[in-house]
Amino acid sequence: MWLHGLLGSGEDWLPVAELCGDYPSLLVDLPGHGKSAHLTTLGFADVSRQLAQTLQANGIREYWLAGYSLGGRIAMYHACHGRHPGLQGLLIEGGNLGLESDELRRQRLQNDQQWAQRFRLEPLPQVLADWYQQAVFADLDAPQREQLVSLRADNIGSAVADMLEATSLGHQPWLLPALQRLRVPYTYLCGERDHKFQQLAKQHQLPLRTLARAGHNAHRANPGAFAAQVLSFLSQSTFSPPSR
């Protein structure tokens, strides 16, 4: 089950999913995005419940969860909260573990609310041009930024804004302690040029896998290497469900 990042859609994962063709894939459009643009969510607990309903509706009893950025944060929350006996393992790409203090969460929520207002009120290409200037996208060159602005301009600004606020890091719990207690295998994937999230993974001793010729959005920059790491992880991990 593949979860995309903010402004993306399930189709973002197609190149990787096709390279992992021996494993059936479910490409999910998160609330406010793609074919789920009409859906809203109240926050992490709610979107986790929506994922569980999607799995049930598709008759899926055992699953691996892979998520990028926002999708990675949702995947970690889902794995760390509630009972999900069908969950077999977790693959996180550039997902933030959360913020450790109330003050940092307050500051982040304020920042995300400012972006959300821009998404609601301003022309989307204008906002996206600034969005992809953020430090986390520093590895992108000008043509790559222009390509992403064009690709993401089909989004509905108000729907993106609602999802951004509902799943802000300001609302996300600090997930590291629960992640360390997980009873299913998990791995953390990161582009070699994504220095922020490499540092995060090393600081907290996460099981890091680094991908060559890639920044924050490693599966887009190098889908072949990403798929190889996914297949390696799956082949090395056991398929016994957790007992909770």
Side-chain angles (χ1 to χ4, degrees), residues 30-102:
L30 292 171
H33 295 76
K35 294 177 182 176
S36 299
H38 62 290
L39 296 179
T40 58
T41 188
L42 300 174
F44 287 94
D46 191 37
V47 76
S48 181
R49 177 188 58 78
Q50 290 171 314
L51 292 182
Q53 290 177 336
T54 300
L55 289 161
Q56 184 177 22
N58 284 274
I60 297 171
R61 295 183 177 179
E62 295 184 348
Y63 61 102
W64 295 74
L65 206 50
Y68 160 66
S69 195
L70 169 62
R73 298 195 287 118
I74 290 170
M76 286 187 288
Y77 182 94
H78 179 84
C80 292
H81 289 79
R83 291 191 72 254
H84 307 290
L87 179 64
Q88 303 293 296
L90 189 63
L91 301 98
I92 310 147
E93 179 193 357
N96 200 312
L97 302 176
L99 302 170
E100 293 185 73
S101 76
D102 290 340

Side-chain angles (χ1 to χ4, degrees), residues 47-236:
V47 76
S48 181
R49 177 188 58 78
Q50 290 171 314
L51 292 182
Q53 290 177 336
T54 300
L55 289 161
Q56 184 177 22
N58 284 274
I60 297 171
R61 295 183 177 179
E62 295 184 348
Y63 61 102
W64 295 74
L65 206 50
Y68 160 66
S69 195
L70 169 62
R73 298 195 287 118
I74 290 170
M76 286 187 288
Y77 182 94
H78 179 84
C80 292
H81 289 79
R83 291 191 72 254
H84 307 290
L87 179 64
Q88 303 293 296
L90 189 63
L91 301 98
I92 310 147
E93 179 193 357
N96 200 312
L97 302 176
L99 302 170
E100 293 185 73
S101 76
D102 290 340
E103 176 59 22
L104 288 174
R105 284 189 284 271
R106 185 194 65 77
Q107 292 175 8
R108 180 53 184 255
L109 181 58
Q110 185 178 50
N111 182 70
D112 286 344
Q113 287 171 336
Q114 290 172 352
W115 276 111
Q117 279 301 94
R118 292 195 62 190
F119 276 116
R120 288 190 181 99
L121 300 175
E122 298 179 26
L124 205 51
Q126 180 178 314
V127 185
L128 292 172
D130 291 338
W131 179 264
Y132 288 113
Q133 292 292 334
Q134 294 181 94
V136 72
F137 302 112
D139 66 293
L140 299 176
D141 59 26
Q144 289 171 325
R145 286 191 176 91
E146 290 174 9
Q147 185 181 33
L148 280 170
V149 169
S150 176
L151 180 66
R152 304 310 192 197
D154 287 341
N155 278 284
I156 300 170
S158 59
V160 170
D162 290 345
M163 186 62 168
L164 175 58
E165 286 185 328
T167 57
S168 168
L169 267 175
H171 292 312
Q172 179 181 314
W174 173 238
L175 294 172
L176 180 63
L179 196 64
Q180 292 171 329
R181 293 192 299 268
L182 273 187
R183 301 181 70 176
V184 295
Y186 74 95
T187 192
Y188 196 90
L189 300 118
C190 199
E192 66 177 0
R193 296 197 290 268
D194 189 354
H195 303 299
K196 173 182 176 179
F197 284 92
Q198 274 198 67
Q199 181 181 358
L200 183 150
K202 292 172 181 176
Q203 176 185 351
H204 299 297
Q205 299 181 318
L206 302 178
L208 176 63
R209 292 170 178 253
T210 304
L211 290 100
R213 303 186 305 281
H216 185 55
N217 194 335
H219 71 272
R220 175 179 171 83
N222 196 343
F226 193 95
Q229 290 284 14
V230 171
L231 292 171
S232 170
F233 172 69
L234 293 176
S235 68
Q236 293 170 14

